[in-house]
Amino acid sequence: MPERVRQMLPSVLSVLLALGVCWALIALTMEPGTATDAYLQMLWGGIGNWPAYLDGAAATVITRPLGESAMKAAILTLTGLSVAVAFKVGLFNIGAQGQMLLGALAAAVVGAQVSLPGVLHVPAALLGAALAGAAWAGIAGLLRIYRGVHEVISTIMLNWVALSLVDNWLVVGPLRGAAEGGQSITGTAEIQATAVLPRLLGEGSRLNLGFPLALVAALAVWVWLTRTRSGFETRAVGLGAEAARAAGIPVARRMGMAMALAGAMAGLAGAVLVLGTEGRYPGTLGAPYGFDGIAIALIGNNHPLGATVSALFFGVLRAGGTRMQLLGVHKSFPELIQGLALLFVAGRMVWLALLRRRNVAPAASAEVPRA
Amino acid sequence: MHRGELLAVVGENGAGKSSLMNVLYGLYQPDAGVLSLDGQPVRFKSPRDAIARGIGMVHQHFMLVPTLSVAENVVLGREPTRNGLLDLERAVQEVSATCARFGFQLEPRARVDTLSVGSQQKVEIVKALHRGAQVLILDEPTAVLTPQESDELARVMRGLVAQGHTVVLISHKLKEVLGVADRIAVMRRGRCVAEVRAADTTAEQLAALMVGDGQRAPAATSTPAVSQAPGEPLLDVRGLQATGDNGRPALRGVDLEVRAGEIVGIAGVDGNGQRELAEVLTGLRPLTSGSGALLGGPLSGLTPAQARTRGVGHIPEDRLHRAVVKALSVEENVALGRHTRPPFAKGPWIDFKGRRERTRELTVAYDVRPPDPEVALRALSGGNQQKVVVARELDARPRLLVVVQPTRGLDVGAVAQVHAKLREARDQGTGVLLVSLDLEEVLALSDRVYVFFEGRVTGHFLRHEFDERELGRRMLGTTEPGHA
């Protein structure tokens, strides 16, 4: 079995097992037929109702669900990348949520307060979001490098600081949008039309530029990590910091840069949410996509492309999950599947041990160090 | 093997010695074959089973918790308790009793990280004995020991055998094996190819058996160095001081010089400042006082990156920790430290083709097995990992090469190869600073030797002045002649 396949198998099997467990849960509490129907609904809700389309329904039965999936997948990809990039340098970024809030706010401010020509406005808002996220993650990075503060502790705490700073003060206070037509609104002022991420499949679908942007970001991170000198240095620091130091690699700089890049990715996730769908920083940012990023990265084996695939899959599940409600199945099941898959992936060593026992012995024995 | 016997298992790197012992200790499962203990077939699912049947193992890399005391380490896993709480007093008493019974001098309350390597090894042995081990397996036990400590260990092993224990000793050092073992089993490529009585054989015969019939045994490593006129000074330090990991002064005013085209040996018992010296010279440890010139620049404020650009090569002592990243591939490890220069990089990009080609050349030239640039370094045996490190450092054509314990745990063939490569580098004009705890190695290779004791130079010998007994006295700080 090729090494690459062997690396992916635990994730794939974990997701399948999670799907199976959740199917059994629905089947046991309702009826087996309902469980299968619910899964089908979830599928059509995620990738579009192709049978109906082929029977002559309007194209929106395809484009609308795809738009919802792509929107969620784009954000999950970016927060997943955020966690995965930090992992590569050996840091555990629990702070994607806080970095995303800062990025979202920066995008909302640049989108609403700055006037720029159309071609520049979106890049400027994205850049602002990336910088805000990078700065927020950079705090944790600097604390780790210069003061030895563990990044898990600092990023968790910075999440709360971000929440208080953004949701509880700036958005309801200084940055609150002015009332429109006598109606008071929650959240910041609406972004200008030039800052809106263009939609790609027409107005019927929320698929916007954020989706290709996330894919390009994933590809760029992958190329950087595997093809460039600095990416190699980053991986070397993550896998053996002391050996990297002895080899003359600037360990602190690599850690700081990887952490900043992680923050930038989370910040972009916030920008995609604000510029693509919300149109402003809403009263509260809703779904904890930043925390989902941890699950996405781990299920994707902390590989930039693995995280992307896992984000696409769970994006589809999340978008389709709402359709389960038609059958009386709660829409939180996709999240349950994601949580279970994460739980099973955490038993990675168990999976590898199980796989090893199944006549994969030659490949496995190569990994056992000899004296 | 028989009760009350000392069996030695010898063989080249990757011959399967450690794998065999790991099967005996229950770490690996046999694919086929039967293991018998006292005439009964047994099957160990884990080390727990092996321990229960009286088998103890001392690993090449110690398995101790550095921040716990000797007593805590020994009782770990079967701690005496009182009211469900750890009864440390009883642990200390028990461990003291075990030490006394087998004649070990260890302070049970001492923290393990404050002990010398030799003492830590004794803790490992006591740990095994404390769990009632009748059969004791020692994997490369003398690789890390000073000559004095090795002699001490030999006494300990003979003492255990005299008390009816069985000792299995895995080693590369043939001379030592011959001195201590009753019987010697020779392994080659996963098979036991010979079993001889120690009294009936010689080191040459054993070496021939290990390497195989077709090949001659590698020559002994005592070929005299070719004395050449020393070249330009590469390193000149005066009054060098530095602090050790424990916060105490490790170097207390060292004067030292290395010139191009010579091998300068540092002899000394472990923990007398040699390691810290190597770290200062490679930019890994700051100096606290003193002045020095290293390849045309100051020694103070040196970073590892600067050391590399000036032309310092480094073969560190702690391979897995400092020299390689074992999760990376062989070719990535070959590039490590030089990854910003051709043929490993093209601008900001990795040059995959150049890296692959250079790695292929080096794996062939240095006989790295398997010669596969893509395989993860962790899949290589320790000896082959070291070959990768030596290949990388010499391939960079360093002007000054700092080498620490380059042949620790290597088999005879690999040792000879590493030594030959170091001489070759010297002959091409590289200045080599060789730190080794193996006095024989230092004397075999060096053109000059500095003796270290407690962070100071206590002796300086030119090649024609080498005198093992006098060096030994200087290493122990007894500089008065005639006190031996």
Side-chain angles (χ1 to χ4, degrees):
Chain A
M1 196 183 315
E3 180 62 20
R4 211 161 279 184
V5 176
R6 222 168 62 83
Q7 288 297 321
M8 287 186 326
L9 264 180
S11 297
V12 174
L13 293 174
S14 295
V15 169
L16 290 178
L17 184 58
L19 284 172
V21 168
C22 283
W23 183 89
L25 278 176
I26 302 172
L28 285 174
T29 50
M30 302 176 82
E31 270 169 35
T34 314
T36 309
D37 284 348
Y39 269 39
L40 268 179
Q41 285 300 333
M42 183 161 69
L43 187 66
W44 303 144
I47 64 164
N49 193 344
W50 289 89
Y53 176 67
L54 295 176
D55 283 347
T60 49
V61 299
I62 304 293
T63 57
R64 189 187 301 275
L66 278 182
E68 297 305 302
S69 299
M71 186 197 93
K72 290 188 162 60
I75 296 165
L76 290 175
T77 300
L78 288 167
T79 56
L81 281 176
S82 173
V83 178
V85 163
F87 247 119
K88 286 294 172 187
V89 85
L91 299 177
F92 198 178
N93 180 21
I94 312 281
Q97 182 70 16
Q99 294 146 21
M100 183 177 77
L101 294 191
L102 265 294
L105 184 69
V109 169
V110 175
Q113 316 285 347
V114 182
S115 288
L116 282 168
V119 278
L120 290 181
H121 207 172
V122 166
L126 291 174
L127 185 68
L131 288 178
W136 202 248
I139 298 173
L142 293 178
L143 281 171
R144 169 68 195 258
I145 293 162
Y146 291 107
R147 305 301 307 162
V149 179
H150 201 282
E151 74 282 358
V152 167
I153 305 296
S154 62
T155 52
I156 288 177
M157 296 201 292
L158 283 168
N159 281 339
W160 291 101
V161 177
L163 188 70
S164 300
L165 184 72
V166 177
D167 282 22
N168 298 347
W169 179 49
L170 290 173
V171 171
V172 294
L175 294 175
R176 183 167 182 173
E180 289 166 26
Q183 231 179 358
S184 83
I185 56 163
T186 55
T188 60
E190 191 158 344
I191 59 172
Q192 298 174 24
T194 44
V196 175
L197 290 175
R199 297 201 169 171
L200 302 177
L201 291 180
E203 283 308 303
S205 166
R206 295 209 282 177
L207 178 72
N208 59 51
L209 193 65
F211 182 64
L213 180 83
L215 296 186
V216 167
L219 203 62
V221 166
W222 177 70
V223 167
W224 171 67
L225 278 171
T226 56
R227 311 265 140 170
T228 69
R229 274 163 41 179
S230 57
F232 172 70
E233 290 187 353
T234 303
R235 285 188 295 129
V237 169
L239 294 168
E242 185 57 25
R245 187 170 85 95
I249 292 170
V251 173
R253 196 190 309 160
R254 287 289 157 250
M255 278 191 176
M257 282 189 53
M259 202 62 194
L261 182 61
M265 289 296 148
L268 281 179
V272 168
L273 198 57
V274 165
L275 306 178
T277 46
E278 298 288 346
R280 62 158 60 89
Y281 192 104
T284 180
L285 209 53
Y289 289 114
F291 292 118
D292 288 327
I294 299 168
I296 296 297
L298 288 173
I299 293 168
N301 202 13
N302 289 312
H303 190 289
L305 303 184
T308 307
V309 172
S310 121
L312 288 174
F313 182 78
F314 285 104
V316 166
L317 243 57
R318 291 286 192 84
T322 43
R323 293 266 302 231
M324 283 179 147
Q325 293 176 104
L326 296 176
L327 296 160
V329 177
H330 199 268
K331 69 177 161 90
S332 63
F333 260 89
E335 281 158 60
L336 184 58
I337 293 169
Q338 180 184 309
L340 282 173
L342 177 63
L343 194 67
F344 297 142
V345 158
R348 188 174 175 77
M349 299 320 283
V350 179
W351 285 115
L352 289 175
L354 284 174
L355 291 171
R356 192 165 300 164
R357 216 160 273 182
R358 303 256 163 76
N359 59 43
V360 207
S365 64
E367 217 181 63
V368 178
R370 287 169 292 156
Chain B
M1 60 187 78
H2 313 290
R3 184 174 300 281
E5 179 187 56
L6 207 163
L7 170 76
V9 180
V10 297
E12 286 206 292
N13 290 322
K17 307 181 297 290
S18 294
S19 300
L20 175 65
M21 293 309 137
N22 284 331
V23 170
L24 293 190
Y25 192 52
L27 280 170
Y28 295 175
Q29 301 302 316
D31 294 329
V34 182
L35 202 60
S36 299
L37 189 68
D38 291 331
Q40 287 170 1
V42 286
R43 191 173 172 83
F44 299 142
K45 288 202 185 70
S46 74
R48 193 178 288 265
D49 296 347
I51 291 168
R53 300 297 299 263
I55 292 179
M57 181 154 179
V58 176
H59 295 268
Q60 192 174 353
H61 305 284
F62 299 152
M63 312 246 171
L64 297 170
V65 184
T67 53
L68 292 184
S69 71
V70 170
E72 286 168 320
N73 265 288
V74 170
V75 299
L76 199 64
R78 40 160 30 189
E79 304 87 351
T81 53
R82 192 175 52 193
N83 308 329
L85 296 170
L86 176 66
D87 187 350
L88 200 56
E89 264 321 298
R90 224 177 86 208
V92 169
Q93 283 165 18
E94 283 180 11
V95 173
S96 294
T98 308
C99 284
R101 186 150 65 95
F102 296 103
F104 287 94
Q105 284 179 350
L106 284 172
E107 168 52 48
R109 290 175 204 277
R111 260 173 66 142
V112 160
D113 55 3
T114 64
L115 301 179
S116 70
V117 175
S119 299
Q120 292 189 18
Q121 187 169 58
K122 284 185 195 159
V123 177
E124 282 278 18
I125 297 174
V126 169
K127 195 166 88 180
L129 293 172
H130 190 73
R131 294 175 182 189
Q134 291 300 310
V135 179
L136 197 60
I137 305 169
L138 294 134
D139 190 359
E140 297 286 348
T142 59
V144 290
L145 300 185
T146 62
Q148 285 83 355
E149 285 172 328
S150 297
D151 293 347
E152 171 75 20
L153 177 68
R155 269 196 296 280
V156 166
M157 288 191 293
R158 292 307 324 178
L160 291 175
V161 170
Q163 290 188 36
H165 286 80
T166 306
V167 176
V168 182
L169 168 69
I170 301 173
S171 183
H172 293 309
K173 297 189 182 173
L174 300 180
K175 217 188 249 182
E176 185 179 278
V177 164
L178 285 168
V180 70
D182 298 314
R183 218 152 41 91
I184 301 172
V186 182
M187 288 192 68
R188 189 167 74 229
R189 292 179 192 212
R191 288 175 190 283
C192 183
V193 291
E195 241 188 78
V196 288
R197 295 201 59 79
D200 306 336
T201 186
T202 65
E204 287 73 28
Q205 279 177 6
L206 282 179
L209 285 168
M210 274 168 64
V211 178
D213 304 323
Q215 299 164 33
R216 266 184 54 82
T221 53
S222 57
T223 332
V226 190
S227 270
Q228 291 180 324
E232 45 158 345
L234 304 173
L235 169 74
D236 189 4
V237 294
R238 298 273 165 245
L240 182 66
Q241 297 191 19
T243 311
D245 286 334
N246 51 16
R248 288 195 286 267
L251 294 172
R252 311 159 183 245
V254 168
D255 298 344
L256 186 135
E257 188 190 57
V258 179
R259 289 170 171 273
E262 65 172 352
I263 298 180
V264 175
I266 305 289
V269 178
D270 189 21
N272 278 286
Q274 307 99 308
R275 177 177 306 129
E276 288 80 3
L277 174 71
E279 288 173 352
V280 168
L281 298 182
T282 49
L284 290 166
R285 183 179 291 277
L287 55 86
T288 50
S289 164
S291 63
L294 172 76
L295 298 171
L299 188 55
S300 61
L302 184 77
T303 66
Q306 282 170 357
R308 289 208 172 256
T309 30
R310 280 191 212 168
V312 179
H314 186 204
I315 301 178
E317 173 181 25
D318 196 341
R319 180 172 57 229
L320 293 178
H321 190 49
R322 207 160 246 177
V324 295
V325 180
K326 59 181 180 174
L328 291 179
S329 67
V330 170
E331 58 185 353
E332 285 174 316
N333 273 290
V334 164
L336 199 64
R338 302 189 284 155
H339 55 278
T340 55
R341 294 194 289 272
F344 303 103
K346 265 189 203 152
W349 302 96
I350 295 171
D351 182 349
F352 289 96
K353 194 158 161 267
R355 187 172 79 180
R356 177 72 45 88
E357 277 169 12
R358 180 63 67 91
T359 306
R360 279 243 166 76
E361 286 164 28
L362 289 176
T363 51
V364 171
Y366 286 80
D367 188 28
V368 176
R369 278 179 259 181
D372 178 359
E374 287 174 82
V375 74
L377 191 95
R378 70 156 80 85
L380 268 55
S381 71
N384 282 303
Q385 291 176 1
Q386 184 72 350
K387 285 181 193 170
V388 171
V389 175
V390 173
R392 173 183 73 202
E393 295 303 320
L394 289 179
D395 185 48
R397 305 209 156 269
R399 294 174 66 200
L400 176 70
L401 183 62
V402 178
V403 186
V404 187
Q405 297 271 72
T407 56
R408 173 180 161 179
L410 265 55
D411 64 61
V412 262
V415 169
Q417 193 201 352
V418 169
H419 285 177
K421 293 288 181 188
L422 290 178
R423 284 206 187 86
E424 202 180 298
R426 185 264 318 271
D427 293 341
Q428 287 167 4
T430 298
V432 180
L433 185 80
L434 168 71
V435 176
S436 178
L437 302 177
D438 183 349
L439 189 56
E440 256 182 70
E441 176 169 59
V442 172
L443 295 181
L445 285 173
S446 306
D447 299 299
R448 289 191 293 129
V449 170
Y450 290 98
V451 181
F452 269 47
F453 177 69
E454 291 190 342
R456 288 194 183 85
V457 173
T458 54
H460 178 227
F461 298 83
L462 299 180
R463 180 152 194 94
H464 65 270
E465 302 169 332
F466 285 176
D467 173 359
E468 223 167 307
R469 295 172 65 88
E470 180 59 24
L471 256 99
R473 278 195 287 276
R474 302 287 180 110
M475 282 163 67
L476 295 172
T478 52
T479 45
E480 237 82 37
H483 266 259

